[in-house]
């Protein structure tokens, strides 16, 4: 039996068609063996250093501190990873495992396109076939990333069902996996899905939190008072939080998408507004109708536009270890603009939600010690959409 | 009311040929019309399988997904489909097929009681493998609804032994590694798979996914206890109307009897 966590409190599990159960067992066993294999660890560490560009810098954002009258504020610069977001940490790790399992074909789902680009990149690096499922709406609003995936040799397969966003792309990827499970590895991009995915993705992303903890200690000689990250499926957040779960004095804050406002009903706040249910293979908080149909999420940020969330976040919510709040589209755009202007950094709209929470609550947090923000990705992909929303002419 | 597993057992005992299990999507093409579908297909059925549409199905191919979307768009809810099953309870035993979240939202105790009250004999939950859902299985047992297990060609012998511990009614063999609606290839591999399942689990074995023609049905009937025909009937209803679908079901039943061979 695998030693990889199957559940987080009551959440998680493997609620998938029987067809893919053996593939989940195989993946868990392969990861178990790999993580104990010094050769694998050395190869992954080497790739993270020389190819991804780790460790990513910790940067003190002093002009943002002045703007928000809070601080010190430290940004963990995952936006400086190769391909522009933390997603590559997971994609490289999973594709390495897939290669160990002898799989030749890689599939992925993507919302904002960052995970799709990261997976296409890793597949190109190892000469593997790659198909990325992406909702039609997301393909339109993240056109740059669609072009990048094509350039990297991946096939981007449009998903027309429903709202054409991450939820439908994930369902379609799982259906493809059910069909091609013998030769295909499904690289899930967030800490969601059936076990062992949430735990493996969290472990592969925990490099964010482990590095950050050491870097803040170096810079400040103390731990951060508050650590904040955006939460869609929640992989950058869980990767960051994993560095601090044992530090009881460190407040952890996850920021979900409030869309056009929680009361409008158009949002992605599954932890804030949802109830436990099963989507995409695991039990977790979920936006759903009273009958159990999964609701459509809404966010200006394609990466947060998801009605579910990783099961470990559900457990951390119930346990009270992490406080989950939300930020609206407008608040995120405001924070996006503020970081551009004050620091010369264009953040992803996803990460802008974490910054928006600092704008709102940072003054109070500052009294408890340094604020650490996971700047999970860069905003190049978002400039068209942000310019339009902000009324900026090209 | 006999319990669901017993009624399914009787259906297999009573049949003189491999069973025909037509599938229909509850609420497709409309909720009203699906009553006519249930009666027309039920006339040729030994067991009738009725789907409850879910927003994010993981095992459905394009045809069944699209039919489910029609039902969802029309506002069909699980209770409507359970009521539909109740309306046709004088026909062959009904098994419902759906995804776990709709059962959980019920919650399970209420869902199972409502299903049992409507005369439903069994339930297939496509995303509930054998080692999950103790609470759902307990609620089903309490209400007398048989929990029917799915197995796939990828299912190992070790796993089949686990399925044997929880399987009730009959075993649903997924003929292909894939979603519904492809084309089955009826070959030695499929026969060997069914034989492997029969050795592991002492229940009737029904084969589904990709059964498109009476010839498929007849060929599978030589080594299985029944066949499920789904996407092909949904497609026939959509393209050619209910009479054509009923005609196809009739031809499938005849093929399973050995007529016309």
């Amino acid at each position: 039996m695998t030693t990889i966590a199957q559940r987080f409190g009551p959440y998680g599990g493997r609620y998938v068609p029987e067809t893919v159960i053996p593939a989940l067992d195989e993946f868990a066993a392969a990861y178990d063996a790999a993580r104990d294999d010094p050769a694998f660890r050395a190869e992954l560490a080497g790739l993270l250093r020389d190819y991804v560009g780790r460790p990513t810098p910790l940067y003190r954002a002093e002009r943002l501190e002045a703007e928000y009258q809070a601080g010190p504020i430290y940004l963990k610069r995952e936006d400086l990873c190769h391909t522009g977001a933390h997603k590559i940490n997971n994609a490289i790790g999973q594709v390495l495992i897939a290669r160990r399992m002898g799989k030749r074909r890689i599939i992925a789902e993507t919302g904002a396109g960052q995970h799709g680009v990261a997976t296409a990149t890793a597949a190109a690096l190892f000469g593997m076939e790659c198909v990325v499922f992406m909702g039609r709406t997301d393909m339109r609003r993240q056109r740059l990333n669609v072009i990048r995936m094509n350039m990297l040799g991946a096939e981007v397969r449009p998903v027309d069902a429903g709202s054409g966003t991450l939820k439908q792309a994930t369902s379609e990827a799982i259906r493809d996996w059910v069909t091609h499970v013998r030769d295909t590895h499904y690289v899930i991009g967030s800490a969601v899905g059936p076990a062992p995915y949430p735990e493996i993705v969290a472990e592969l992303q925990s490099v964010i939190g482990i590095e950050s903890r050491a870097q803040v200690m170096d810079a400040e000689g103390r731990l951060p008072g508050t650590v904040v990250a955006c939460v869609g499926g929640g992989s950058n957040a869980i990767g960051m939080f994993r560095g601090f779960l044992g530090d009881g004095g460190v407040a952890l804050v996850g920021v979900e998408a409030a869309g056009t406002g929680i009361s409008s009903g158009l949002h992605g706040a599954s932890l804030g507004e949802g109830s436990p249910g099963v989507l995409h293979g695991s039990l977790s908080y979920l936006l759903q109708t009273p009958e159990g149909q999964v609701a459509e999420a809404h966010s200006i940020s394609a990466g947060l536009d998801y009605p579910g969330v990783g099961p470990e976040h559900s457990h951390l919510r119930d346990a009270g270890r992490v406080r989950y709040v939300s930020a609206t589209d407008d608040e995120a755009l405001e924070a996006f603009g503020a970081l551009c202007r004050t620091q010369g950094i264009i953040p992803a709209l996803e990460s802008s939600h974490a910054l928006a929470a600092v704008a709102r609550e940072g003054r109070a947090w500052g009294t408890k010690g340094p604020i650490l923000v996971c700047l999970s990705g860069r905003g190049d992909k978002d400039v068209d959409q942000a310019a339009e929303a902000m009324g900026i002419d090209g | 009311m006999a319990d669901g597993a017993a009624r399914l057992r009787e259906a297999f005992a009573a049949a003189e040929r491999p069973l025909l299990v037509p599938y229909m999507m509850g609420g497709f093409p409309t909720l009203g019309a699906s009553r006519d579908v249930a009666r027309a297909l039920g006339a040729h059925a030994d067991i009738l399988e009725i789907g409850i549409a879910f927003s994010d199905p993981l095992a459905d191919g394009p045809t069944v997904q699209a039919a489910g979307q029609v039902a969802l768009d029309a506002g069909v809810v699980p209770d409507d489909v359970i009521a539909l099953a109740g309306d046709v309870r004088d026909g062959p035993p009904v098994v419902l097929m759906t995804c776990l979240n709709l059962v959980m939202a019920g919650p399970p105790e209420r869902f199972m009681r409502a299903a049992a009250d409507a005369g439903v004999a069994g339930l297939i939950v496509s995303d509930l493998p054998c080692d999950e859902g103790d609470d759902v299985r307990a609620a089903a047992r309490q209400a007398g609804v048989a929990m029917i297990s799915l197995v796939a060609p990828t299912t190992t012998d070790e796993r089949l032994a686990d399925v044997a511990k929880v399987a009730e009614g009959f075993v649903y063999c997924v003929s292909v590694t894939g979603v519904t609606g492809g084309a089955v290839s009826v070959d030695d591999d499929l026969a060997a798979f069914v034989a492997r399942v029969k050795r592991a689990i002492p229940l009737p074995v029904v084969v589904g996914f990709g059964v498109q023609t009476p010839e498929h049905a007849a060929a599978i009937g030589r080594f299985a206890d029944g066949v499920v025909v789904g996407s092909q009937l949904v497609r026939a209803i959509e393209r050619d109307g209910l009479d054509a679908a009923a005609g196809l079901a009739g031809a499938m039943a005849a093929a399973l009897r050995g007529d016309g061979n």
Side-chain angles (χ1 to χ4, degrees):
Chain A
M1 271 310 276
T2 175
T3 58
I4 300 168
Q6 305 282 300
R7 287 192 184 268
F8 307 90
Y11 302 106
R14 302 195 296 180
Y15 300 98
V16 288
E18 190 69 41
T19 310
V20 302
I21 292 283
L24 295 174
D25 285 339
E26 182 190 7
F27 182 37
Y31 183 75
D32 253 348
R35 106 179 129 170
D36 293 337
D37 177 355
F40 171 81
R41 295 162 67 104
E43 185 173 17
L44 179 58
L47 284 164
L48 290 179
R49 186 187 61 230
D50 303 330
Y51 187 72
V52 175
R54 305 209 70 90
T56 55
L58 182 79
Y59 175 70
R60 182 165 175 183
E62 293 188 11
R63 279 176 36 81
L64 191 68
E65 292 172 6
E67 171 100 0
Y68 290 164
Q69 294 174 21
I73 298 173
Y74 287 93
L75 306 178
K76 177 59 171 168
R77 297 293 306 275
E78 291 300 300
D79 60 314
L80 294 178
C81 288
H82 177 45
T83 70
H86 70 290
K87 296 290 187 187
I88 190 83
N89 303 327
N90 167 53
I92 290 272
Q94 283 203 43
V95 170
L96 275 180
I97 308 278
R99 197 183 54 169
R100 278 174 76 100
M101 291 190 292
K103 308 274 181 179
R104 296 299 310 155
R105 182 172 177 267
I106 297 293
I107 59 169
E109 85 296 337
T110 198
Q114 288 303 115
H115 174 58
V117 168
T119 305
T121 298
L125 181 62
F126 294 107
M128 294 164 96
E129 181 189 346
C130 180
V131 177
V132 180
F133 295 88
M134 189 170 189
R136 187 76 75 175
T137 304
D138 287 342
M139 285 180 71
R140 196 167 51 241
R141 58 181 170 175
Q142 303 287 348
R143 205 175 77 88
L144 175 67
N145 276 341
V146 175
I147 295 169
R148 291 167 80 197
M149 286 184 271
N150 284 324
M151 284 177 173
L152 291 161
E155 178 196 344
V156 181
R157 215 171 277 177
V159 180
D160 286 313
S163 58
T165 59
L166 182 55
K167 180 181 85 145
Q168 289 82 17
T170 306
S171 295
E172 196 58 37
I174 295 175
R175 285 188 288 262
D176 179 281
W177 197 38
V178 170
T179 308
H180 301 288
V181 65
R182 286 189 166 108
D183 69 346
T184 296
H185 178 66
Y186 175 25
V187 180
I188 294 185
S190 194
V192 301
Y197 280 101
E199 175 64 23
I200 291 177
V201 175
E203 282 194 21
L204 291 170
Q205 293 293 3
S206 66
V207 66
I208 302 171
I210 293 166
E211 285 177 8
S212 296
R213 190 177 188 281
Q215 289 169 320
V216 173
M217 287 298 287
D218 271 356
E220 288 274 329
R222 57 178 172 160
L223 289 169
T226 306
V227 177
V228 57
C230 66
V231 179
S235 71
N236 88 87
I238 204 67
M240 177 58 100
F241 295 163
R242 280 280 176 109
F244 300 94
L245 285 175
D247 301 314
V250 178
L252 304 176
V253 179
V255 187
E256 298 190 289
T260 54
I262 295 295
S263 60
S264 72
L266 300 173
H267 59 79
S270 19
L271 290 161
E273 301 296 316
S275 55
V278 169
L279 174 66
H280 298 146
S282 64
L283 175 66
S284 197
Y285 277 83
L286 185 60
L287 298 175
Q288 56 183 327
T289 69
E291 291 82 24
Q293 304 294 356
V294 181
E296 296 291 350
H298 169 86
S299 172
I300 190 169
S301 137
L304 304 186
D305 198 347
Y306 184 65
V309 67
E312 190 171 4
H313 287 292
S314 291
H315 178 52
L316 292 169
R317 171 201 186 276
D318 286 4
R321 179 64 186 93
V322 180
R323 187 166 65 93
Y324 293 92
V325 300
S326 60
T328 63
D329 292 349
D330 288 346
E331 289 173 313
L333 281 167
E334 188 79 22
F336 175 96
L339 193 69
C340 292
R341 285 192 318 272
T342 61
Q343 302 289 169
I345 297 171
I346 300 176
L349 283 172
E350 290 77 15
S351 323
S352 300
H353 285 70
L355 293 166
V358 180
R360 201 170 55 206
E361 302 187 40
R363 284 178 78 170
W365 295 345
T367 61
K368 290 183 291 190
I371 297 166
L372 170 62
V373 183
C374 189
L375 197 67
S376 56
R378 62 177 175 242
D380 306 37
K381 67 187 175 59
D382 297 318
V383 292
D384 284 345
Q385 202 189 0
E388 192 186 324
M390 297 162 79
I392 295 172
D393 285 334
Chain B
M1 165 84 57
D3 77 289
R7 284 162 56 216
L8 294 172
R9 235 181 352 258
E10 281 160 24
F12 282 94
E16 290 166 352
R17 55 164 174 78
L19 271 66
L20 179 65
V21 185
Y23 168 91
M24 57 174 284
M25 175 60 79
F28 178 82
T30 66
L31 188 58
S34 62
R35 285 181 170 70
D36 302 328
V37 174
R39 294 200 185 282
L41 297 182
H44 302 286
D46 302 286
I47 294 170
L48 180 64
E49 183 183 341
I50 305 180
I52 306 178
F54 178 53
S55 54
D56 295 80
L58 298 185
D60 290 343
T63 304
V64 174
Q65 261 188 71
Q69 195 59 50
V70 168
L72 290 174
D73 290 346
V76 172
V77 297
D79 280 344
D80 293 330
V81 181
I82 291 172
L84 161 67
D87 289 348
V88 297
R89 64 194 302 163
D90 52 338
V94 169
V95 297
L96 298 176
M97 178 154 190
T98 192
C99 291
L100 180 60
N101 201 50
L102 298 184
V103 180
M104 290 194 28
E109 296 71 24
R110 200 204 63 86
F111 184 99
M112 297 299 176
R113 204 167 45 240
D117 287 349
V120 168
L123 177 66
I124 306 167
V125 182
S126 59
D127 56 350
L128 188 68
C130 66
D131 46 5
E132 298 279 9
D134 291 347
D135 49 343
V136 171
R137 289 178 209 283
R141 202 165 301 120
Q142 180 74 27
V145 175
M147 286 293 289
I148 293 149
S149 294
L150 290 155
V151 297
T154 51
T155 308
T156 60
D157 285 346
E158 188 185 6
R159 195 85 195 150
L160 284 177
D162 292 337
V163 174
K165 291 176 199 148
V166 298
E168 298 173 336
F170 59 87
V171 182
Y172 189 136
C173 274
V174 175
S175 66
V176 291
T177 48
V179 295
T180 61
V184 65
S185 85
V186 185
D187 55 17
D188 291 349
D189 284 353
L190 182 58
F193 166 47
V194 170
R196 192 161 66 86
V197 175
K198 279 176 162 285
R199 276 196 301 277
I201 307 172
L203 287 174
V205 171
V206 164
V207 173
F209 283 35
V211 182
Q212 294 183 337
T213 63
E215 291 71 29
H216 282 156
I220 293 169
R222 291 192 190 102
F223 51 81
D225 301 305
V227 295
V228 179
V229 185
S231 298
Q232 198 65 13
L233 290 172
V234 174
R235 207 172 290 136
I237 290 168
E238 190 176 22
R239 205 171 44 199
D240 306 318
L242 180 53
D243 288 348
L248 177 61
M252 295 270 186
L256 285 166
R257 269 195 306 271
D259 294 358
N261 279 0

